[in-house]
Amino acid sequence: MAPGGSGLFVAVVGPSGAGKDTLLALAAEDLAKTPGIVFARRIVTRDAIAAIEDHDVMSPADFAAAEASGAFCLSWRAHGLAYGLPAYLTTALTDGTTVVANVSRRVFAEAAERFARLAIVEITAPPAVLIARIAARGREAPEEISARIARQVELTVPPGAEAHHRIVNDASPQDGRRKLVEILRAAS
């Protein structure tokens, strides 16, 4: 683990359609006045669907320039898009803040190197639920959805992670919300 900083980086991960963005938005509402917890806004090279996604948008060229200039504390590529977390989050972590971010499991090793403390919250759902949720977005054809579901791999927790929590989000969003809020309150 990286030296310095006492804040906890909470990596929220899971397959497409698991409801990560929904649960994060609901938990952010519940914890809005809780000192010491920050919900990171990602930068993505895809327009946000206002009702279900909370991120900032950059063109691929602007993203590449920002990445080259050090504007992100973490960045990655997935599903033909680029994702990044703003560099100021490193300062928040150094100041002892718990930072909660929706990330790809592909950046676990990098997160473990960059941040002194790392915890993982895995949000998942049964395949039929994932397929229905992805289809409801209307962004992908059925064969693309099937390919996305087939690409899923088992989560490997990086060495040094302080915790790994798993939420099976197959009931109401309120159930998942309650579980995520409990985890985050206990962690901060």
Side-chain angles (χ1 to χ4, degrees):
M1 290 276 180
S6 60
L8 178 65
F9 184 82
V10 180
V12 178
V13 298
S16 294
K20 297 178 302 291
D21 288 321
T22 298
L23 296 188
L24 283 166
L26 293 170
E29 286 176 14
D30 287 353
L31 299 170
K33 294 183 181 172
T34 303
I37 298 178
V38 170
F39 287 80
R41 279 182 69 89
R42 298 183 301 176
I43 292 92
V44 183
T45 57
R46 175 188 69 221
D47 288 342
I49 299 171
I52 61 170
E53 295 177 314
D54 185 23
H55 66 257
D56 294 325
V57 177
M58 276 189 178
S59 71
D62 288 344
F63 188 96
E67 188 174 39
S69 73
F72 305 123
C73 62
L74 279 177
S75 60
W76 65 95
R77 307 295 189 278
H79 312 298
L81 302 170
Y83 298 81
L85 296 177
Y88 72 80
L89 295 171
T90 302
T91 302
L93 288 163
T94 300
D95 292 342
T97 300
T98 295
V99 173
V100 183
N102 180 351
V103 301
S104 169
R105 64 186 77 203
R106 295 176 190 190
V107 296
F108 279 166
E110 188 176 352
E113 289 174 11
R114 290 186 181 211
F115 309 129
R117 298 176 59 216
L118 172 68
I120 297 162
V121 176
E122 178 185 12
I123 299 174
T124 191
V129 173
L130 298 175
I131 291 167
R133 289 177 181 163
I134 295 169
R137 294 177 187 166
R139 291 193 308 236
E140 296 172 277
E143 59 276 359
E144 292 171 314
I145 295 170
S146 295
R148 184 180 285 255
I149 298 297
R151 282 194 303 261
Q152 293 180 31
V153 295
E154 191 67 28
L155 176 72
T156 302
V157 177
E162 291 184 15
H164 171 219
H165 304 277
R166 190 167 200 256
I167 298 172
V168 178
N169 187 28
D170 60 352
S172 78
Q174 299 310 319
D175 287 342
R177 168 192 220 159
R178 180 185 47 76
K179 292 173 187 172
L180 181 56
V181 167
E182 287 173 6
I183 291 166
L184 295 175
R185 280 194 173 129
S188 61

